[in-house]
Amino acid sequence: MNSTFMRKAAAITATAGCAVAAAAMTTTAPAGAAPLAQATSFVVAQGGTGTDKAVAAVTAAGGTVVQEWPQIGVVIASASDDTFDDKARQSPGIVAAGPSRAMQAYEPASTVPVDGTVQGLGPGTSGGDDTEEPLFANQWHMRQIGADKAHLKTDGNRDITVGVLDSGIEADHPDLAPNVDASQSVDCTDRGVPNQDPKAWQPTTSDHGTHVAGTIGAARNKEGVIGVAPNVKLASVKVVEDEGYIYPEYAICGFIWAADKGMEVTNNSYYIDPYALWCKSNLDEKAAILAVERALKYSEKKDVVNVAAAGNSAWDLSKPITDTGSPNNTPEPTPRDTDQRCYDMPTEVGNTVTVSSVGSTATKSYFSNWGRNVVDVAAPGGDSRVGADTPSKNGRVLSTIWNGGYGYKQGTSMASPHAAGVVALIRGTDTAMNAKQAMKSLEREADTLACPEFYDANRDGVDDATCEGGANGFGYYGAGLVDALDAVTP
């Protein structure tokens, strides 16, 4: 697996930036690339719902329909003609068409052996003393948000499911096995076509999703660690392919799957490839943006709260950004200046809870993106530059990893699942609350964090970032630090 996913998704390589190309700021379609030796994937969107017009457009342009999403009027197509999208746009009723991966040829996923073992759901737990979990003393992040105090009241509601859109969950991990629901789990990495084979939705090249899942819902079993909501069910919704990319069709599949399965919460610790910032003014990017927007709107209508990581590039997302690393699946990315018509998907699309990261002292992590009117809440994601008051002194986040183990990671990818776990507690405590009300409750119950007077992440004596909001701190932290205890206190 290449470094792409680990850079984006959170495990510390969070300092690398990603880019978008200069030509993307014009409304003119970019010049066609050389014809592809192999087919690539395209997104074709029609006006409204259904897929009849999109299917007809794909056929007329010489492509092959791979997956239909009539709920949002989107078709995923395969074609080897680099002018396919131009042709498809000319068909009646088509509002957007474009490649999902910067004209890179589709390559089937490599086969990595997975045993596919699924234990089955356990009976669940009602609450208890977190200090009985052997590694809890090193989970400073659970204490920071009051999860240990919340658990004296409840471990969450067994009827709540959190979809973990990520690299897969190790279903036989002893701290996860009691809570992994195979009936709701799926792989979306074969061009966005759902596959419920346990061998497909478990991790093959990354334990990132396993770490995220442990933060949300590691079980109460006197073994290892504890999650924010240890009695909720976890669904593995695999959207990260073996090469580390999360292309639009994978995320679209994940959002719609979670919505149609009735999941109450999803966690999204990634950004959608191959652009760190997608720009609507580029015809090639417009289709994917529209499809993801529709998928998230559909998800919200189905009453799902989608929680997303703010990203690890140390960017102020409320300001123009020079993106130097996109598209990230080509040998030579094309730098470009972006504006507010360009944004990180899914976290800036809308219909999401955007989460920034703090370290053990509840100050913005050095890698975390931020931005006024972008970040909704903050949560512990770790910071290796700031030690913790724990036996290990490790300032990163401790959770479940490969082969039944435990390990530390840091990033907004680690912050987001803390917030997702709190949302799960909120929705389990008041089951009459809808998605929008739960999002408002999360923000209302968050603890305000003031802007630091001086922010010197690399300790060179220079103020590294400007926090807007003063005593309210909303530039860095949105409404503030999520609070698990308040989530379960009427």
Side-chain angles (χ1 to χ4, degrees):
M1 175 178 144
N2 64 21
S3 64
T4 303
F5 178 57
M6 298 306 287
R7 181 180 71 242
K8 322 179 295 202
I12 183 47
T13 40
T15 55
C18 291
V20 214
M25 296 309 296
T26 174
T27 56
T28 303
L36 296 167
Q38 299 177 4
T40 192
S41 294
F42 291 84
V43 179
V44 180
Q46 67 179 55
T49 56
T51 56
D52 55 331
K53 296 180 181 67
V55 169
V58 170
T59 302
T64 302
V65 173
V66 174
Q67 176 66 27
E68 298 180 38
W69 297 113
Q71 303 96 319
I72 60 172
V74 168
V75 163
I76 306 302
S78 176
S80 55
D81 179 0
D82 68 322
T83 65
F84 168 83
D85 50 339
D86 296 326
K87 295 175 181 175
R89 292 183 198 120
Q90 305 307 312
S91 294
I94 300 304
V95 296
S100 70
R101 53 192 72 200
M103 295 305 294
Q104 183 187 71
Y106 167 75
E107 296 181 8
S110 59
T111 55
V112 179
V114 177
D115 63 20
T117 301
V118 179
Q119 173 180 301
L121 288 167
T125 57
S126 58
D129 182 358
D130 288 356
T131 63
E132 295 181 354
E133 304 301 306
L135 299 178
F136 176 72
N138 288 318
Q139 289 188 282
W140 59 267
H141 38 100
M142 292 296 167
R143 293 187 290 278
Q144 187 181 73
I145 63 171
D148 54 332
K149 295 177 181 178
H151 296 159
L152 295 175
K153 295 173 176 279
T154 179
D155 279 347
N157 189 325
R158 200 61 168 168
D159 291 332
I160 301 297
T161 300
V162 180
V164 183
L165 276 65
D166 215 292
S167 62
I169 300 175
E170 186 172 89
D172 60 354
H173 192 294
D175 241 351
L176 299 175
N179 292 340
V180 175
D181 188 350
S183 71
Q184 298 189 73
S185 297
V186 70
D187 170 63
C188 284
T189 64
D190 183 6
R191 292 175 287 185
V193 179
N195 179 0
Q196 280 204 274
D197 185 341
K199 292 182 179 180
W201 54 254
Q202 293 201 54
T204 48
T205 57
S206 169
D207 63 359
H208 185 275
T210 297
H211 194 279
V212 165
T215 296
I216 298 168
R220 179 179 303 284
N221 54 6
K222 297 183 180 181
E223 182 169 352
V225 297
I226 192 83
V228 177
N231 191 45
V232 303
K233 291 179 287 188
L234 301 168
S236 175
V237 182
K238 189 173 180 180
V239 297
V240 183
E241 65 173 32
D242 288 349
E243 294 302 315
Y245 295 105
I246 306 101
Y247 289 117
E249 60 268 37
Y250 307 166
I252 293 164
C253 167
F255 288 130
I256 295 178
W257 178 271
D260 285 347
K261 284 292 181 178
M263 298 180 199
E264 286 77 16
V265 188
T266 72
N267 185 78
N268 303 271
S269 290
Y270 58 88
Y271 70 74
I272 295 174
D273 294 300
Y275 300 100
L277 299 169
W278 291 74
C279 296
K280 272 190 173 181
S281 55
N282 186 309
L283 289 179
D284 276 356
E285 297 168 45
K286 179 181 177 182
I289 296 170
L290 178 62
V292 172
E293 286 178 340
R294 288 182 176 183
L296 282 167
K297 287 178 182 177
Y298 177 78
S299 178
E300 184 181 57
K301 288 180 180 178
K302 298 284 278 189
D303 207 31
V304 184
V305 177
N306 296 295
V307 182
N312 302 324
S313 298
W315 283 342
D316 181 348
L317 294 173
S318 69
K319 302 290 194 297
I321 294 168
T322 299
D323 183 359
T324 60
S326 302
N328 62 10
N329 63 345
T330 60
E332 297 182 5
T334 308
R336 70 179 174 186
D337 293 328
T338 67
D339 58 21
Q340 297 312 302
R341 294 173 295 172
C342 305
Y343 42 85
D344 181 336
M345 294 202 299
T347 197
E348 288 190 278
V349 173
N351 309 97
T352 60
V353 175
T354 298
V355 186
S356 65
S357 173
V358 299
S360 62
T361 59
T363 301
K364 187 185 86 69
S365 305
Y366 73 88
F367 49 77
S368 181
N369 289 348
W370 75 97
R372 181 176 183 175
N373 298 324
V374 177
V375 170
D376 295 303
V377 292
D383 190 329
S384 60
R385 298 177 181 178
V386 181
D389 185 16
T390 63
S392 72
K393 307 299 182 185
N394 198 313
R396 297 178 295 165
V397 171
L398 178 61
S399 188
T400 46
I401 59 171
W402 288 117
N403 301 319
Y406 302 89
Y408 292 91
K409 297 184 190 291
Q410 67 178 16
T412 55
S413 282
M414 282 63 253
S416 183
H418 284 88
V422 174
V423 174
L425 292 177
I426 290 171
R427 302 207 72 177
T429 300
D430 185 352
T431 56
M433 191 177 291
N434 64 30
K436 287 187 176 181
Q437 290 170 331
M439 294 164 73
K440 289 295 184 184
S441 179
L442 178 72
E443 295 183 15
R444 183 174 61 252
E445 294 166 354
D447 301 323
T448 301
L449 296 176
C451 285
E453 292 184 6
F454 185 73
Y455 184 79
D456 184 13
N458 58 5
R459 301 172 186 173
D460 63 355
V462 177
D463 197 358
D464 293 322
T466 301
C467 176
E468 297 181 74
N472 292 322
F474 50 74
Y476 279 3
Y477 313 116
L481 184 70
V482 298
D483 191 320
L485 177 60
D486 284 354
V488 300
T489 305

